[in-house]
Each structure stands twice: as C-alpha cells, then as structure tokens.
Amino acid sequence: MRNYILADNQELTRFALEGLLRLHGDNVVYKAYDKSGLVDLLREHENAVVLLDYTLFDFADEEQLLIIAERFNLSDWILISDELTPQFLRRVVYSSHQFSIVFKDGPLSEMREAIQTVERHQRYISQRALEVIINHQQTEEERPSILTETEAEIVRAIAQGKTTKEIANERFSSVHTITTHRKNIFRKLGINTAHEVVKYALRAGLVDSSEFYI
C-alpha cells in the first residue's frame, strides 16, 4: 500500500482517479490544489505517488517540477494531461526516472497499468507518449543544422570537456563572447545542460565517442 497525492484541479478527474485508486487496495489518498500544498504533503509523505496534471497547476516551467521531484527523490509521479508537448516529455523523461506518463484521453486500461507499475516502483510510459518522444527526436535529427560554423565548433569543444575559459583562450575571444554563444546554442537547440550538448554533438556527428567526457 502506498500513499497517493491527487494534484489535479478538475473535480471530475479527481473523483474518478480516487475511485480507481480505491479499487487497487486500501490506498490513502490526499489532495493538493496548488504547488505549495503539494510540497507540504510531500514533506509529510516523501514516498508518495503524485498524480499530477501539470497543465492545470501553478508551475512556472518544467524546471520547477524537476526541482521538486529531485528534492523528494523517494516519490513517484504519474503525469496526466490532455496535452503534453514533445519538448516537455523529452525533458522530464530524460531527466528523471521518477516520472511516468499517461494521457487523459487514453484508455482506462493505461491508467490502471500505470498505477500498478508505479506501485512496484517502476516507470510507466504510455505507447502514445513513447511515439511522441521518438517522432520528435527523429524530426530533430533530420532537421538541417541550425547552428553557425562558430557555434558548431563551440559545441564540439563543450562535448570534448573544455571549459568556457579554455574555449575563449583557444579562440582568442573573451569569456563573455563564449558565454553569449553558449546561451544562443542552448536556445537554438532547446536544451539546458552541457550533457544535452554532448548528446546533440554525437547525433550531429560533430564528435565521436572517443572525443568527449561524461
């Protein structure tokens, strides 16, 4: 038996999910109506399963969501929504194994299977979510390079483990200039970390596995 936190501001959805959870045993179900209330409940129940409709809650962005999940790293999350963008799905799925994904308009059997899977501390990604992630990744890989020659060279240097200062010295540029290039690269690629730069560099053929450091 696990504790559950319903974080969905649609009353009908909360009622349906609570009924579904009751069918799976004597689960204790709590309700959160905003981010602050959710954090308070997680403080009391650190290993709870959170059923969250991210699009209906007061998160500024997915970064806030990931920070809270990392803070309460014993918790598991089932993200449910009518719409979750490919960028959002890739970010949360690749960032943490705490997140499972189910779409609200999917079959009821998926929700049941997600609950059963997460109860075993395993992750569940619906077939539709997998297809969205894979299709988006294929589209990104097929898209012509959006980086300038200079930006591509800086991506290669980042993937090789060089610091901003080292790159600036090699290119006879200021640290400020390289920092600006980095910001532009991250914005163009829709990424947030150097590790994601490494993955892009590998996919784009800018480096091979012997040229970079994890």
Side-chain angles (χ1 to χ4, degrees):
M1 183 185 75
R2 298 190 68 180
N3 294 326
Y4 284 82
I5 301 173
L6 295 183
D8 188 309
N9 285 325
Q10 289 180 330
E11 187 175 3
L12 184 59
T13 303
R14 285 199 308 270
F15 179 81
L17 288 173
E18 187 170 8
L20 189 60
L21 290 171
R22 301 294 187 196
L23 293 175
H24 284 272
D26 297 326
N27 298 303
V28 180
V29 181
Y30 302 91
K31 299 180 181 69
Y33 300 96
D34 55 29
K35 183 179 62 182
S36 176
L38 175 57
V39 170
D40 288 342
L41 284 170
L42 282 169
R43 287 197 186 102
E44 298 178 30
H45 313 284
E46 292 187 348
N47 66 341
V49 178
V50 180
L51 279 72
L52 170 71
D53 188 335
Y54 170 82
T55 62
L56 296 180
F57 248 57
D58 57 336
F59 287 98
D61 52 32
E62 63 265 27
E63 189 67 32
Q64 285 190 348
L65 174 63
L66 291 169
I67 289 171
I68 291 175
E70 183 178 3
R71 177 180 173 187
F72 300 100
N73 58 14
L74 297 179
S75 63
D76 290 303
W77 300 65
I78 302 177
L79 300 183
I80 53 176
S81 180
D82 293 320
E83 287 188 28
L84 293 170
T85 67
Q87 293 85 355
F88 175 87
L89 289 173
R90 287 185 63 185
R91 180 79 195 285
V92 297
V93 167
Y94 291 160
S95 296
S96 173
H97 284 277
Q98 290 172 259
F99 292 101
S100 296
I101 310 290
V102 178
F103 285 94
K104 274 188 178 179
D105 57 357
L108 183 60
S109 58
E110 283 190 347
M111 192 69 240
R112 287 198 182 103
E113 190 173 352
I115 292 171
Q116 292 170 350
T117 302
V118 172
E119 281 181 347
R120 300 192 298 269
H121 298 279
Q122 297 174 347
R123 179 158 76 167
Y124 180 88
I125 308 295
S126 72
Q127 182 63 34
R128 178 180 162 192
L130 283 173
E131 290 172 357
V132 169
I133 294 169
I134 292 170
N135 289 340
H136 183 261
Q137 182 167 328
Q138 289 174 341
T139 300
E140 288 295 308
E141 290 172 354
E142 292 167 0
R143 182 179 298 170
S145 176
I146 57 176
L147 301 180
T148 66
E149 184 176 345
T150 296
E151 289 168 343
E153 291 173 358
I154 291 173
V155 164
R156 185 183 298 111
I158 294 171
Q160 291 169 341
K162 296 176 182 177
T163 66
T164 299
K165 185 176 181 180
E166 288 171 336
I167 297 170
N169 289 338
E170 287 182 359
R171 300 187 62 82
F172 302 101
S173 300
S174 68
V175 170
H176 174 74
T177 297
I178 301 303
T179 299
T180 300
H181 279 306
R182 282 176 63 105
K183 289 179 180 178
N184 289 336
I185 290 166
F186 281 36
R187 175 181 54 79
K188 286 183 177 182
L189 299 180
I191 59 179
N192 296 280
T193 67
H195 184 67
E196 291 173 297
V197 173
V198 172
K199 292 194 290 187
Y200 171 83
L202 285 168
R203 291 198 306 267
L206 297 176
V207 293
D208 61 44
S209 58
S210 64
E211 293 184 277
F212 70 93
Y213 306 92
I214 299 294

